Amino acid sequence: MDNFSSETATSDRRGFLRGSALIAAALVGGVAQAKTRAAPGSAPSSFGSIRQVDAGVLDIGYVEIGPASGTPVLLFHGWPYAIDAFAEVAPLLAARGYRVIVPHLRGHGTTLFRSKATPRNAQQAALAADGIALMDGLRIPKAIVAGFDWGARTADIMAALWPERCTALVSVSGYLIGSQAANAKPLAPAAELQWWYQFYFATERGKAGYAANTNAFNKQIWQLASPKWAFDDTTFDRSAAVFANPDHVEIVIHNYRWRLGLADGERQYDALEAKLANAPAISIPAITMEGDANGAPHPKPEQYRAKFTGAYAHRLITGGIGHNLPQEAPAAFAQAVLDVAKLAR
């Protein structure tokens, strides 16, 4: 493929589901080869049982499907979403022989801090370091990384800072690496309006309001970010179960306060943040994606094109697809993972 191409795709949500027998087999496929365990008393997601692995400062909850010998693919969700965003993507990839791992981010689901003394920090470098720690915990030397929202930023940073650990990248909304200095610069009023919740979270009233109305707040974000997605209550409630994590509110509030320079990060990440503040290029093969009805703040593709210096393509997914692209257009997202894997060969 050329170093740059732009493709428009439709959201054939069921296009890959013809291989239902293969998918069913994949759902009972491989398990991690490292020491893992079932999450005690955890509510099953749409994937089924959750497993746990000690990874850095976290006890990470994750699901895994597909053959243990397959090429690893890590799928990262965002906020306010859950691993269920990949409930259709993961089996599509597993059916093609990939080892698919979908972790709960810190502050979500069964991912818990191993020590009460660890700061409930959600700066961007910490989330990316979690991804590397997960790979180490599962003894995965290299993987395809993909995600949206917080998960896209996590995958972007992993690709930029640890390219030797990342085979290829799929990133919804492209290059999302930022810095506190860049975030301090004011935007045009219309753009500032889109970040209303960031300013709400900067206040103690906002923190209390989010704690008191977590599910209602997050459902509103879903509606605003994906205005044409007709999700039902069952779909939302399944994902909302992960917000019951004891650290959820602290993690969400810290993430947005840190972005604005209103909360400190941890000194151990200073060197990484210094590198990220220089907006490092991503050299591994990459495909970026955008939905044609994304109601959340997001950059235009031409604004980040130069940040991808390897084999690259951008895809606009049409059909009223919003911010939660893998859940709204799973076939298109899965196809992007399959195609970026070919670029990496």
Side-chain angles (χ1 to χ4, degrees):
M1 181 177 288
D2 293 338
N3 194 46
F4 171 72
S5 67
S6 180
E7 303 176 23
T8 300
T10 60
S11 61
D12 178 12
R13 300 187 77 253
R14 308 296 171 183
F16 279 27
L17 296 181
R18 297 185 183 93
S20 57
L22 286 173
I23 291 170
L27 283 167
V28 294
V31 297
Q33 296 176 4
K35 290 184 178 180
T36 64
R37 61 196 180 284
S42 63
S45 72
S46 52
F47 287 99
S49 61
I50 307 294
R51 297 195 63 79
Q52 300 290 132
V53 63
D54 288 343
V57 300
L58 300 175
D59 179 20
I60 294 181
Y62 69 99
V63 294
E64 178 175 345
I65 64 174
S69 60
T71 298
V73 178
L74 272 59
L75 304 177
F76 297 101
H77 68 84
W79 172 85
Y81 303 99
I83 61 173
D84 298 279
F86 299 104
E88 292 185 52
V89 171
L92 296 177
L93 297 175
R96 298 292 292 270
Y98 288 85
R99 177 186 178 188
V100 185
I101 297 158
V102 192
H104 290 298
L105 297 185
R106 55 171 61 191
H108 295 74
T110 62
T111 290
L112 299 172
F113 287 87
R114 297 171 65 190
S115 170
K116 292 182 179 179
T118 303
R120 272 38 179 175
N121 172 18
Q123 69 184 107
Q124 59 180 357
L127 292 169
D130 292 344
I132 297 298
L134 173 65
M135 293 175 67
D136 290 344
L138 296 179
R139 301 174 187 169
I140 297 173
K142 200 166 186 177
I144 297 170
V145 292
F148 72 105
D149 194 82
W150 288 18
R153 182 176 295 104
T154 295
D156 285 349
I157 294 172
M158 292 173 67
L161 297 185
W162 296 281
E164 72 281 0
R165 303 296 300 272
C166 302
T167 305
L169 166 72
V170 173
S171 177
V172 176
S173 297
Y175 189 91
L176 297 179
I177 299 172
S179 70
Q180 289 179 321
N183 290 337
K185 298 177 181 178
L187 304 174
E192 296 281 25
L193 179 62
Q194 288 189 301
W195 285 110
W196 64 272
Y197 54 89
Q198 182 171 247
F199 302 113
Y200 181 63
F201 288 161
T203 69
E204 287 305 299
R205 175 187 173 120
K207 181 178 180 180
Y210 186 63
N213 304 290
T214 305
N215 286 2
F217 191 99
N218 290 344
K219 180 178 280 190
Q220 180 169 315
I221 295 293
W222 278 36
Q223 292 165 340
L224 293 173
S226 299
K228 297 186 178 181
W229 181 29
F231 62 88
D232 57 23
D233 288 342
T234 299
T235 298
F236 176 79
D237 291 344
R238 186 181 299 118
S239 289
V242 309
F243 309 144
N245 181 290
D247 301 307
H248 180 76
V249 173
E250 290 292 336
I251 288 297
V252 172
I253 297 301
H254 185 271
N255 180 280
Y256 288 101
R257 290 185 180 182
W258 180 88
R259 296 191 202 190
L260 294 177
L262 301 176
D264 291 333
E266 293 178 84
R267 299 287 74 82
Q268 68 193 62
Y269 299 115
D270 284 354
L272 297 181
E273 292 294 355
K275 293 179 180 179
L276 297 175
N278 291 322
I282 294 174
S283 60
I284 66 172
I287 292 178
T288 59
M289 309 181 75
E290 194 59 80
D292 64 341
N294 185 358
H298 61 279
K300 295 180 180 179
E302 57 269 24
Q303 293 176 319
Y304 54 72
R305 169 62 190 95
K307 292 299 178 184
F308 295 92
T309 59
Y312 175 77
H314 176 75
R315 295 177 177 178
L316 175 66
I317 310 304
T318 60
I321 303 304
H323 191 58
N324 186 358
L325 194 152
Q327 195 161 359
E328 298 176 61
F333 192 91
Q335 187 63 57
V337 174
L338 295 175
D339 290 344
V340 83
K342 295 177 183 176
L343 292 181
R345 291 174 183 168

PDB file of all heavy atoms in Angstrom, residues 220-252:
ATOM      1  N   GLN A 220     -25.463  10.031  28.936  1.00  0.00           N
ATOM      2  CA  GLN A 220     -25.560  11.288  28.191  1.00  0.00           C
ATOM      3  C   GLN A 220     -24.359  11.483  27.274  1.00  0.00           C
ATOM      4  O   GLN A 220     -24.503  11.941  26.140  1.00  0.00           O
ATOM      5  CB  GLN A 220     -25.672  12.468  29.157  1.00  0.00           C
ATOM      6  CG  GLN A 220     -25.775  13.821  28.456  1.00  0.00           C
ATOM      7  CD  GLN A 220     -26.154  14.933  29.402  1.00  0.00           C
ATOM      8  OE1 GLN A 220     -27.046  14.787  30.223  1.00  0.00           O
ATOM      9  NE2 GLN A 220     -25.481  16.065  29.279  1.00  0.00           N
ATOM     10  N   ILE A 221     -23.170  11.117  27.768  1.00  0.00           N
ATOM     11  CA  ILE A 221     -21.975  11.204  26.923  1.00  0.00           C
ATOM     12  C   ILE A 221     -22.118  10.282  25.713  1.00  0.00           C
ATOM     13  O   ILE A 221     -21.780  10.658  24.577  1.00  0.00           O
ATOM     14  CB  ILE A 221     -20.708  10.859  27.721  1.00  0.00           C
ATOM     15  CG1 ILE A 221     -20.458  11.898  28.825  1.00  0.00           C
ATOM     16  CG2 ILE A 221     -19.501  10.750  26.794  1.00  0.00           C
ATOM     17  CD1 ILE A 221     -20.107  13.271  28.317  1.00  0.00           C
ATOM     18  N   TRP A 222     -22.608   9.073  25.936  1.00  0.00           N
ATOM     19  CA  TRP A 222     -22.847   8.159  24.808  1.00  0.00           C
ATOM     20  C   TRP A 222     -23.754   8.814  23.766  1.00  0.00           C
ATOM     21  O   TRP A 222     -23.480   8.736  22.561  1.00  0.00           O
ATOM     22  CB  TRP A 222     -23.514   6.874  25.312  1.00  0.00           C
ATOM     23  CG  TRP A 222     -22.616   5.833  25.887  1.00  0.00           C
ATOM     24  CD1 TRP A 222     -21.496   6.030  26.637  1.00  0.00           C
ATOM     25  CD2 TRP A 222     -22.765   4.418  25.761  1.00  0.00           C
ATOM     26  NE1 TRP A 222     -20.947   4.830  26.999  1.00  0.00           N
ATOM     27  CE2 TRP A 222     -21.705   3.817  26.481  1.00  0.00           C
ATOM     28  CE3 TRP A 222     -23.698   3.605  25.146  1.00  0.00           C
ATOM     29  CZ2 TRP A 222     -21.559   2.430  26.573  1.00  0.00           C
ATOM     30  CZ3 TRP A 222     -23.555   2.209  25.242  1.00  0.00           C
ATOM     31  CH2 TRP A 222     -22.492   1.645  25.934  1.00  0.00           C
ATOM     32  N   GLN A 223     -24.813   9.431  24.206  1.00  0.00           N
ATOM     33  CA  GLN A 223     -25.787  10.028  23.293  1.00  0.00           C
ATOM     34  C   GLN A 223     -25.184  11.209  22.532  1.00  0.00           C
ATOM     35  O   GLN A 223     -25.423  11.365  21.331  1.00  0.00           O
ATOM     36  CB  GLN A 223     -27.029  10.465  24.073  1.00  0.00           C
ATOM     37  CG  GLN A 223     -27.824   9.291  24.638  1.00  0.00           C
ATOM     38  CD  GLN A 223     -28.837   9.704  25.688  1.00  0.00           C
ATOM     39  OE1 GLN A 223     -28.736  10.783  26.281  1.00  0.00           O
ATOM     40  NE2 GLN A 223     -29.808   8.836  25.944  1.00  0.00           N
ATOM     41  N   LEU A 224     -24.415  12.036  23.220  1.00  0.00           N
ATOM     42  CA  LEU A 224     -23.803  13.195  22.572  1.00  0.00           C
ATOM     43  C   LEU A 224     -22.684  12.782  21.624  1.00  0.00           C
ATOM     44  O   LEU A 224     -22.522  13.374  20.549  1.00  0.00           O
ATOM     45  CB  LEU A 224     -23.262  14.155  23.628  1.00  0.00           C
ATOM     46  CG  LEU A 224     -24.293  14.846  24.518  1.00  0.00           C
ATOM     47  CD1 LEU A 224     -23.588  15.637  25.622  1.00  0.00           C
ATOM     48  CD2 LEU A 224     -25.197  15.766  23.699  1.00  0.00           C
ATOM     49  N   ALA A 225     -21.911  11.785  22.015  1.00  0.00           N
ATOM     50  CA  ALA A 225     -20.761  11.371  21.212  1.00  0.00           C
ATOM     51  C   ALA A 225     -21.156  10.536  19.997  1.00  0.00           C
ATOM     52  O   ALA A 225     -20.419  10.490  19.009  1.00  0.00           O
ATOM     53  CB  ALA A 225     -19.783  10.585  22.073  1.00  0.00           C
ATOM     54  N   SER A 226     -22.308   9.881  20.073  1.00  0.00           N
ATOM     55  CA  SER A 226     -22.794   9.036  18.966  1.00  0.00           C
ATOM     56  C   SER A 226     -24.269   9.348  18.737  1.00  0.00           C
ATOM     57  O   SER A 226     -25.147   8.531  19.041  1.00  0.00           O
ATOM     58  CB  SER A 226     -22.589   7.557  19.293  1.00  0.00           C
ATOM     59  OG  SER A 226     -21.228   7.249  19.483  1.00  0.00           O
ATOM     60  N   PRO A 227     -24.579  10.511  18.194  1.00  0.00           N
ATOM     61  CA  PRO A 227     -25.968  10.969  18.110  1.00  0.00           C
ATOM     62  C   PRO A 227     -26.869  10.117  17.228  1.00  0.00           C
ATOM     63  O   PRO A 227     -28.094  10.188  17.351  1.00  0.00           O
ATOM     64  CB  PRO A 227     -25.838  12.394  17.561  1.00  0.00           C
ATOM     65  CG  PRO A 227     -24.507  12.424  16.873  1.00  0.00           C
ATOM     66  CD  PRO A 227     -23.628  11.518  17.675  1.00  0.00           C
ATOM     67  N   LYS A 228     -26.291   9.311  16.352  1.00  0.00           N
ATOM     68  CA  LYS A 228     -27.111   8.488  15.455  1.00  0.00           C
ATOM     69  C   LYS A 228     -27.095   7.002  15.824  1.00  0.00           C
ATOM     70  O   LYS A 228     -27.661   6.173  15.110  1.00  0.00           O
ATOM     71  CB  LYS A 228     -26.655   8.675  14.008  1.00  0.00           C
ATOM     72  CG  LYS A 228     -26.845  10.103  13.502  1.00  0.00           C
ATOM     73  CD  LYS A 228     -26.519  10.241  12.027  1.00  0.00           C
ATOM     74  CE  LYS A 228     -26.764  11.668  11.557  1.00  0.00           C
ATOM     75  NZ  LYS A 228     -26.474  11.821  10.107  1.00  0.00           N
ATOM     76  N   TRP A 229     -26.478   6.683  16.942  1.00  0.00           N
ATOM     77  CA  TRP A 229     -26.397   5.297  17.391  1.00  0.00           C
ATOM     78  C   TRP A 229     -27.603   5.004  18.280  1.00  0.00           C
ATOM     79  O   TRP A 229     -27.727   5.548  19.366  1.00  0.00           O
ATOM     80  CB  TRP A 229     -25.098   5.063  18.145  1.00  0.00           C
ATOM     81  CG  TRP A 229     -24.885   3.660  18.633  1.00  0.00           C
ATOM     82  CD1 TRP A 229     -25.361   2.512  18.079  1.00  0.00           C
ATOM     83  CD2 TRP A 229     -24.114   3.259  19.783  1.00  0.00           C
ATOM     84  NE1 TRP A 229     -24.933   1.413  18.803  1.00  0.00           N
ATOM     85  CE2 TRP A 229     -24.167   1.844  19.860  1.00  0.00           C
ATOM     86  CE3 TRP A 229     -23.384   3.955  20.731  1.00  0.00           C
ATOM     87  CZ2 TRP A 229     -23.521   1.125  20.854  1.00  0.00           C
ATOM     88  CZ3 TRP A 229     -22.726   3.235  21.730  1.00  0.00           C
ATOM     89  CH2 TRP A 229     -22.805   1.836  21.793  1.00  0.00           C
ATOM     90  N   ALA A 230     -28.472   4.117  17.837  1.00  0.00           N
ATOM     91  CA  ALA A 230     -29.698   3.789  18.583  1.00  0.00           C
ATOM     92  C   ALA A 230     -29.446   2.615  19.525  1.00  0.00           C
ATOM     93  O   ALA A 230     -30.064   1.549  19.391  1.00  0.00           O
ATOM     94  CB  ALA A 230     -30.832   3.485  17.610  1.00  0.00           C
ATOM     95  N   PHE A 231     -28.544   2.801  20.494  1.00  0.00           N
ATOM     96  CA  PHE A 231     -28.275   1.737  21.454  1.00  0.00           C
ATOM     97  C   PHE A 231     -29.445   1.616  22.429  1.00  0.00           C
ATOM     98  O   PHE A 231     -30.152   2.587  22.700  1.00  0.00           O
ATOM     99  CB  PHE A 231     -26.972   1.991  22.209  1.00  0.00           C
ATOM    100  CG  PHE A 231     -26.952   3.239  23.040  1.00  0.00           C
ATOM    101  CD1 PHE A 231     -27.406   3.233  24.357  1.00  0.00           C
ATOM    102  CD2 PHE A 231     -26.471   4.442  22.508  1.00  0.00           C
ATOM    103  CE1 PHE A 231     -27.386   4.383  25.129  1.00  0.00           C
ATOM    104  CE2 PHE A 231     -26.449   5.595  23.281  1.00  0.00           C
ATOM    105  CZ  PHE A 231     -26.910   5.571  24.590  1.00  0.00           C
ATOM    106  N   ASP A 232     -29.653   0.410  22.965  1.00  0.00           N
ATOM    107  CA  ASP A 232     -30.748   0.212  23.912  1.00  0.00           C
ATOM    108  C   ASP A 232     -30.211   0.180  25.338  1.00  0.00           C
ATOM    109  O   ASP A 232     -29.004   0.191  25.578  1.00  0.00           O
ATOM    110  CB  ASP A 232     -31.539  -1.059  23.582  1.00  0.00           C
ATOM    111  CG  ASP A 232     -30.676  -2.315  23.554  1.00  0.00           C
ATOM    112  OD1 ASP A 232     -29.591  -2.323  24.190  1.00  0.00           O
ATOM    113  OD2 ASP A 232     -31.074  -3.294  22.900  1.00  0.00           O
ATOM    114  N   ASP A 233     -31.130   0.136  26.302  1.00  0.00           N
ATOM    115  CA  ASP A 233     -30.733   0.167  27.709  1.00  0.00           C
ATOM    116  C   ASP A 233     -29.894  -1.050  28.090  1.00  0.00           C
ATOM    117  O   ASP A 233     -28.973  -0.945  28.906  1.00  0.00           O
ATOM    118  CB  ASP A 233     -31.971   0.244  28.609  1.00  0.00           C
ATOM    119  CG  ASP A 233     -32.650   1.600  28.561  1.00  0.00           C
ATOM    120  OD1 ASP A 233     -32.004   2.576  28.112  1.00  0.00           O
ATOM    121  OD2 ASP A 233     -33.827   1.697  28.960  1.00  0.00           O
ATOM    122  N   THR A 234     -30.206  -2.190  27.503  1.00  0.00           N
ATOM    123  CA  THR A 234     -29.445  -3.403  27.818  1.00  0.00           C
ATOM    124  C   THR A 234     -27.987  -3.250  27.411  1.00  0.00           C
ATOM    125  O   THR A 234     -27.077  -3.641  28.152  1.00  0.00           O
ATOM    126  CB  THR A 234     -30.067  -4.617  27.116  1.00  0.00           C
ATOM    127  OG1 THR A 234     -31.406  -4.791  27.575  1.00  0.00           O
ATOM    128  CG2 THR A 234     -29.264  -5.879  27.402  1.00  0.00           C
ATOM    129  N   THR A 235     -27.758  -2.674  26.248  1.00  0.00           N
ATOM    130  CA  THR A 235     -26.389  -2.460  25.771  1.00  0.00           C
ATOM    131  C   THR A 235     -25.644  -1.525  26.700  1.00  0.00           C
ATOM    132  O   THR A 235     -24.495  -1.791  27.085  1.00  0.00           O
ATOM    133  CB  THR A 235     -26.418  -1.886  24.349  1.00  0.00           C
ATOM    134  OG1 THR A 235     -27.046  -2.828  23.474  1.00  0.00           O
ATOM    135  CG2 THR A 235     -25.012  -1.604  23.843  1.00  0.00           C
ATOM    136  N   PHE A 236     -26.292  -0.419  27.075  1.00  0.00           N
ATOM    137  CA  PHE A 236     -25.620   0.516  27.968  1.00  0.00           C
ATOM    138  C   PHE A 236     -25.376  -0.104  29.340  1.00  0.00           C
ATOM    139  O   PHE A 236     -24.283   0.017  29.906  1.00  0.00           O
ATOM    140  CB  PHE A 236     -26.417   1.811  28.121  1.00  0.00           C
ATOM    141  CG  PHE A 236     -25.794   2.747  29.125  1.00  0.00           C
ATOM    142  CD1 PHE A 236     -24.704   3.524  28.764  1.00  0.00           C
ATOM    143  CD2 PHE A 236     -26.267   2.819  30.425  1.00  0.00           C
ATOM    144  CE1 PHE A 236     -24.086   4.359  29.695  1.00  0.00           C
ATOM    145  CE2 PHE A 236     -25.665   3.647  31.360  1.00  0.00           C
ATOM    146  CZ  PHE A 236     -24.574   4.428  30.986  1.00  0.00           C
ATOM    147  N   ASP A 237     -26.388  -0.760  29.888  1.00  0.00           N
ATOM    148  CA  ASP A 237     -26.269  -1.314  31.241  1.00  0.00           C
ATOM    149  C   ASP A 237     -25.149  -2.345  31.334  1.00  0.00           C
ATOM    150  O   ASP A 237     -24.480  -2.463  32.369  1.00  0.00           O
ATOM    151  CB  ASP A 237     -27.594  -1.937  31.674  1.00  0.00           C
ATOM    152  CG  ASP A 237     -28.680  -0.898  31.912  1.00  0.00           C
ATOM    153  OD1 ASP A 237     -28.347   0.302  32.040  1.00  0.00           O
ATOM    154  OD2 ASP A 237     -29.861  -1.284  31.940  1.00  0.00           O
ATOM    155  N   ARG A 238     -24.944  -3.100  30.264  1.00  0.00           N
ATOM    156  CA  ARG A 238     -23.877  -4.105  30.264  1.00  0.00           C
ATOM    157  C   ARG A 238     -22.518  -3.417  30.422  1.00  0.00           C
ATOM    158  O   ARG A 238     -21.675  -3.846  31.209  1.00  0.00           O
ATOM    159  CB  ARG A 238     -23.916  -4.917  28.975  1.00  0.00           C
ATOM    160  CG  ARG A 238     -22.923  -6.083  28.940  1.00  0.00           C
ATOM    161  CD  ARG A 238     -23.005  -6.833  27.633  1.00  0.00           C
ATOM    162  NE  ARG A 238     -24.317  -7.413  27.424  1.00  0.00           N
ATOM    163  CZ  ARG A 238     -25.140  -7.103  26.431  1.00  0.00           C
ATOM    164  NH1 ARG A 238     -24.770  -6.188  25.544  1.00  0.00           N
ATOM    165  NH2 ARG A 238     -26.311  -7.673  26.306  1.00  0.00           N
ATOM    166  N   SER A 239     -22.323  -2.333  29.705  1.00  0.00           N
ATOM    167  CA  SER A 239     -21.068  -1.589  29.834  1.00  0.00           C
ATOM    168  C   SER A 239     -20.989  -0.833  31.148  1.00  0.00           C
ATOM    169  O   SER A 239     -19.920  -0.709  31.755  1.00  0.00           O
ATOM    170  CB  SER A 239     -20.922  -0.603  28.670  1.00  0.00           C
ATOM    171  OG  SER A 239     -20.667  -1.285  27.459  1.00  0.00           O
ATOM    172  N   ALA A 240     -22.129  -0.314  31.606  1.00  0.00           N
ATOM    173  CA  ALA A 240     -22.141   0.498  32.827  1.00  0.00           C
ATOM    174  C   ALA A 240     -21.703  -0.285  34.055  1.00  0.00           C
ATOM    175  O   ALA A 240     -21.285   0.312  35.059  1.00  0.00           O
ATOM    176  CB  ALA A 240     -23.530   1.090  33.043  1.00  0.00           C
ATOM    177  N   ALA A 241     -21.765  -1.602  33.995  1.00  0.00           N
ATOM    178  CA  ALA A 241     -21.338  -2.406  35.141  1.00  0.00           C
ATOM    179  C   ALA A 241     -19.890  -2.140  35.514  1.00  0.00           C
ATOM    180  O   ALA A 241     -19.511  -2.242  36.684  1.00  0.00           O
ATOM    181  CB  ALA A 241     -21.548  -3.887  34.836  1.00  0.00           C
ATOM    182  N   VAL A 242     -19.049  -1.743  34.541  1.00  0.00           N
ATOM    183  CA  VAL A 242     -17.633  -1.536  34.833  1.00  0.00           C
ATOM    184  C   VAL A 242     -17.396  -0.253  35.617  1.00  0.00           C
ATOM    185  O   VAL A 242     -16.327  -0.063  36.213  1.00  0.00           O
ATOM    186  CB  VAL A 242     -16.764  -1.528  33.554  1.00  0.00           C
ATOM    187  CG1 VAL A 242     -17.045  -2.748  32.704  1.00  0.00           C
ATOM    188  CG2 VAL A 242     -16.915  -0.247  32.758  1.00  0.00           C
ATOM    189  N   PHE A 243     -18.384   0.648  35.632  1.00  0.00           N
ATOM    190  CA  PHE A 243     -18.204   1.919  36.341  1.00  0.00           C
ATOM    191  C   PHE A 243     -18.314   1.754  37.854  1.00  0.00           C
ATOM    192  O   PHE A 243     -18.048   2.699  38.602  1.00  0.00           O
ATOM    193  CB  PHE A 243     -19.223   2.953  35.860  1.00  0.00           C
ATOM    194  CG  PHE A 243     -19.286   3.125  34.368  1.00  0.00           C
ATOM    195  CD1 PHE A 243     -20.500   3.371  33.729  1.00  0.00           C
ATOM    196  CD2 PHE A 243     -18.148   3.039  33.587  1.00  0.00           C
ATOM    197  CE1 PHE A 243     -20.571   3.526  32.357  1.00  0.00           C
ATOM    198  CE2 PHE A 243     -18.203   3.184  32.208  1.00  0.00           C
ATOM    199  CZ  PHE A 243     -19.422   3.430  31.588  1.00  0.00           C
ATOM    200  N   ALA A 244     -18.699   0.566  38.307  1.00  0.00           N
ATOM    201  CA  ALA A 244     -18.800   0.304  39.745  1.00  0.00           C
ATOM    202  C   ALA A 244     -17.436   0.080  40.390  1.00  0.00           C
ATOM    203  O   ALA A 244     -17.344  -0.102  41.596  1.00  0.00           O
ATOM    204  CB  ALA A 244     -19.694  -0.910  39.986  1.00  0.00           C
ATOM    205  N   ASN A 245     -16.384   0.096  39.598  1.00  0.00           N
ATOM    206  CA  ASN A 245     -15.025  -0.047  40.120  1.00  0.00           C
ATOM    207  C   ASN A 245     -14.783   0.984  41.226  1.00  0.00           C
ATOM    208  O   ASN A 245     -15.141   2.155  41.071  1.00  0.00           O
ATOM    209  CB  ASN A 245     -14.034   0.159  38.974  1.00  0.00           C
ATOM    210  CG  ASN A 245     -12.591   0.004  39.382  1.00  0.00           C
ATOM    211  OD1 ASN A 245     -12.046   0.820  40.104  1.00  0.00           O
ATOM    212  ND2 ASN A 245     -11.949  -1.045  38.881  1.00  0.00           N
ATOM    213  N   PRO A 246     -14.176   0.580  42.350  1.00  0.00           N
ATOM    214  CA  PRO A 246     -14.007   1.510  43.471  1.00  0.00           C
ATOM    215  C   PRO A 246     -13.143   2.725  43.167  1.00  0.00           C
ATOM    216  O   PRO A 246     -13.236   3.739  43.869  1.00  0.00           O
ATOM    217  CB  PRO A 246     -13.372   0.638  44.567  1.00  0.00           C
ATOM    218  CG  PRO A 246     -12.746  -0.505  43.828  1.00  0.00           C
ATOM    219  CD  PRO A 246     -13.649  -0.764  42.667  1.00  0.00           C
ATOM    220  N   ASP A 247     -12.315   2.654  42.141  1.00  0.00           N
ATOM    221  CA  ASP A 247     -11.441   3.775  41.789  1.00  0.00           C
ATOM    222  C   ASP A 247     -11.933   4.562  40.576  1.00  0.00           C
ATOM    223  O   ASP A 247     -11.249   5.480  40.120  1.00  0.00           O
ATOM    224  CB  ASP A 247     -10.025   3.253  41.501  1.00  0.00           C
ATOM    225  CG  ASP A 247      -9.420   2.534  42.686  1.00  0.00           C
ATOM    226  OD1 ASP A 247      -9.411   3.127  43.769  1.00  0.00           O
ATOM    227  OD2 ASP A 247      -8.992   1.376  42.524  1.00  0.00           O
ATOM    228  N   HIS A 248     -13.122   4.217  40.080  1.00  0.00           N
ATOM    229  CA  HIS A 248     -13.572   4.797  38.813  1.00  0.00           C
ATOM    230  C   HIS A 248     -13.647   6.316  38.857  1.00  0.00           C
ATOM    231  O   HIS A 248     -13.098   7.004  37.979  1.00  0.00           O
ATOM    232  CB  HIS A 248     -14.930   4.214  38.417  1.00  0.00           C
ATOM    233  CG  HIS A 248     -15.451   4.771  37.128  1.00  0.00           C
ATOM    234  ND1 HIS A 248     -14.956   4.391  35.904  1.00  0.00           N
ATOM    235  CD2 HIS A 248     -16.415   5.705  36.874  1.00  0.00           C
ATOM    236  CE1 HIS A 248     -15.590   5.047  34.949  1.00  0.00           C
ATOM    237  NE2 HIS A 248     -16.469   5.857  35.517  1.00  0.00           N
ATOM    238  N   VAL A 249     -14.310   6.859  39.847  1.00  0.00           N
ATOM    239  CA  VAL A 249     -14.491   8.313  39.906  1.00  0.00           C
ATOM    240  C   VAL A 249     -13.143   9.015  40.034  1.00  0.00           C
ATOM    241  O   VAL A 249     -12.867   9.999  39.328  1.00  0.00           O
ATOM    242  CB  VAL A 249     -15.432   8.704  41.058  1.00  0.00           C
ATOM    243  CG1 VAL A 249     -15.480  10.224  41.227  1.00  0.00           C
ATOM    244  CG2 VAL A 249     -16.836   8.160  40.799  1.00  0.00           C
ATOM    245  N   GLU A 250     -12.291   8.517  40.910  1.00  0.00           N
ATOM    246  CA  GLU A 250     -10.979   9.135  41.097  1.00  0.00           C
ATOM    247  C   GLU A 250     -10.165   9.129  39.803  1.00  0.00           C
ATOM    248  O   GLU A 250      -9.506  10.117  39.467  1.00  0.00           O
ATOM    249  CB  GLU A 250     -10.202   8.401  42.198  1.00  0.00           C
ATOM    250  CG  GLU A 250     -10.750   8.597  43.598  1.00  0.00           C
ATOM    251  CD  GLU A 250     -10.578  10.021  44.110  1.00  0.00           C
ATOM    252  OE1 GLU A 250      -9.668  10.732  43.631  1.00  0.00           O
ATOM    253  OE2 GLU A 250     -11.369  10.420  44.982  1.00  0.00           O
ATOM    254  N   ILE A 251     -10.220   8.026  39.072  1.00  0.00           N
ATOM    255  CA  ILE A 251      -9.454   7.913  37.834  1.00  0.00           C
ATOM    256  C   ILE A 251      -9.988   8.873  36.770  1.00  0.00           C
ATOM    257  O   ILE A 251      -9.219   9.571  36.099  1.00  0.00           O
ATOM    258  CB  ILE A 251      -9.470   6.457  37.323  1.00  0.00           C
ATOM    259  CG1 ILE A 251      -8.590   5.570  38.219  1.00  0.00           C
ATOM    260  CG2 ILE A 251      -9.020   6.369  35.869  1.00  0.00           C
ATOM    261  CD1 ILE A 251      -7.120   5.953  38.228  1.00  0.00           C
ATOM    262  N   VAL A 252     -11.284   8.924  36.598  1.00  0.00           N
ATOM    263  CA  VAL A 252     -11.863   9.806  35.578  1.00  0.00           C
ATOM    264  C   VAL A 252     -11.568  11.267  35.903  1.00  0.00           C
ATOM    265  O   VAL A 252     -11.137  12.040  35.031  1.00  0.00           O
ATOM    266  CB  VAL A 252     -13.378   9.564  35.455  1.00  0.00           C
ATOM    267  CG1 VAL A 252     -14.015  10.612  34.541  1.00  0.00           C
ATOM    268  CG2 VAL A 252     -13.652   8.158  34.922  1.00  0.00           C
TER     269      VAL A 252
END
